[in-house]
Amino acid sequence: MQTPPHHNETYRVPAECDAHDGCIMAWPVRTELWRDHLADAKADYAAVARAIAPFEQVFMVCLPGQEAEVERICDGMVTPVPIPINDSWTRDHGGVFVRDAQGGFVLVGFGFNAWGERWHPHDDDARLAERLAGHFGVRYAAAPFVLEGGSWYTDGHGTLFTTEQCLLNPNRNPTRTRQDLERLLGQWLGADRVVWLPFGHSTDVGPEGTDGHIDGVMHLPDAGRVLLEVSSDERNREFAIQQANLARLRSELDRFGLQTEIVQFDPGPNPNVAYLNHYQANGAVIVPIAGDDHDEPALAQLRAIYPDREVVGVGGKIIMFGGGGPHCITQQIPAGALPRH
């Protein structure tokens, strides 16, 4: 059931590391983005979906009429959901499942302007959350500000992490101050405190970038740890950014008196994928790999960080060509969010 886009209660977001009912993805469709690699993108999205499917159900949004293609390329391991879309980054425009004050779930849709009006059209993407709510039969509410899911993390206990580079960019919410955004993040995502890192990746600011999403440089393996990309090699092109993020993270955790452990993830000199842009499924971690010498040291670090989850590598170079990784193309459905019929 949908409700009008009003809001008079505070919501809470379960952490990604919590149990899921499933995962939402969207089939690649924007030829201007993928150019000659659209078929390759479909193959790599399908590989991510097939990697997740043994651990939780995967719902693949696709253009009406593409259901048979989705089932064929995904080996019948996903559930096609025919809904009009413009692009395929459900983390950013697929909405967020939140808990209301009574413990029920609401699918919240945020304003979506295609990462600062970078791509047109994006009207169907802006309505995806509402249409998904109708498909799943859950309540829907529309938030009054622009926000992409890849620009923040929450530990599920009131701490939200984001970057100044993205959220304070005037191409998102030009009339909103930092204080305005903190208030809205508190109301709509249950953020009691907001930890501001300065940067995402420096390569994330071009024509096909997102202005510094946090899910390329950080992850939350659980409520007590922050996994931050920090290279030990000064040849890494992000070295200065990583050091600035580390210093800020330390000071912010101290400011709030949080005992959260900072786990430094070393990606090597200059990796070809963002290893921290991974997805936590039920009992597994789906990690992008590049097929080069960076992969095994990165996977070994992640196996140590996630001893109770299976670490599954999937090809990530084509998705990185499009601007992201497995985290960008997935959106978890928290356990209990889907109505039982």
Side-chain angles (χ1 to χ4, degrees), residues 92 115-116 118 146-152 162-173 181 196-200 204-205 209-215:
D92 290 345
W115 309 279
R118 277 177 164 85
V146 172
L147 186 72
E148 299 112 31
S151 68
W152 57 274
T162 189
T163 67
E164 296 169 337
Q165 185 181 15
C166 182
L167 254 65
L168 301 184
N169 192 309
N171 66 9
R172 300 303 205 277
N173 298 285
L181 291 170
W196 296 88
L197 298 187
F199 303 111
D204 197 20
V205 296
T210 62
D211 299 309
H213 275 187
I214 200 168
D215 64 357

Side-chain angles (χ1 to χ4, degrees), residues 28-184:
V29 64
R30 194 182 288 279
T31 54
E32 312 97 286
L33 170 64
W34 299 107
R35 301 193 283 278
D36 294 336
H37 297 291
L38 181 60
D40 298 326
K42 291 177 178 179
D44 278 10
Y45 272 59
V48 171
R50 291 195 302 267
I52 296 171
F55 303 96
E56 62 193 41
Q57 186 172 6
V58 179
F59 299 92
M60 185 70 75
V61 177
C62 62
L63 293 177
Q66 289 190 330
E67 297 93 326
E69 177 185 85
V70 167
E71 291 184 327
R72 174 175 56 82
I73 300 178
C74 295
D75 293 340
M77 298 177 71
V78 307
T79 302
V81 179
I83 295 176
I85 48 174
N86 309 112
D87 218 327
S88 52
W89 307 92
T90 52
R91 177 69 52 178
D92 290 345
H93 55 73
V96 178
F97 287 90
V98 302
R99 285 191 180 276
D100 62 21
Q102 291 73 45
F105 278 95
V106 180
L107 183 53
V108 172
F110 294 89
F112 180 72
N113 68 355
W115 309 279
E117 303 292 342
R118 277 177 164 85
W119 296 95
H120 296 274
H122 54 259
D123 55 319
D124 283 324
D125 286 346
R127 293 193 61 191
L128 178 57
E130 181 181 5
R131 288 166 170 166
L132 282 170
H135 174 80
F136 289 120
V138 299
R139 283 180 58 203
Y140 171 75
F145 64 112
V146 172
L147 186 72
E148 299 112 31
S151 68
W152 57 274
Y153 279 114
T154 178
D155 66 355
H157 298 278
T159 303
L160 185 141
F161 300 80
T162 189
T163 67
E164 296 169 337
Q165 185 181 15
C166 182
L167 254 65
L168 301 184
N169 192 309
N171 66 9
R172 300 303 205 277
N173 298 285
T175 65
R176 303 285 192 185
T177 66
R178 182 191 298 250
Q179 291 72 30
D180 291 336
L181 291 170
E182 289 187 348
R183 175 180 57 80
L184 289 165

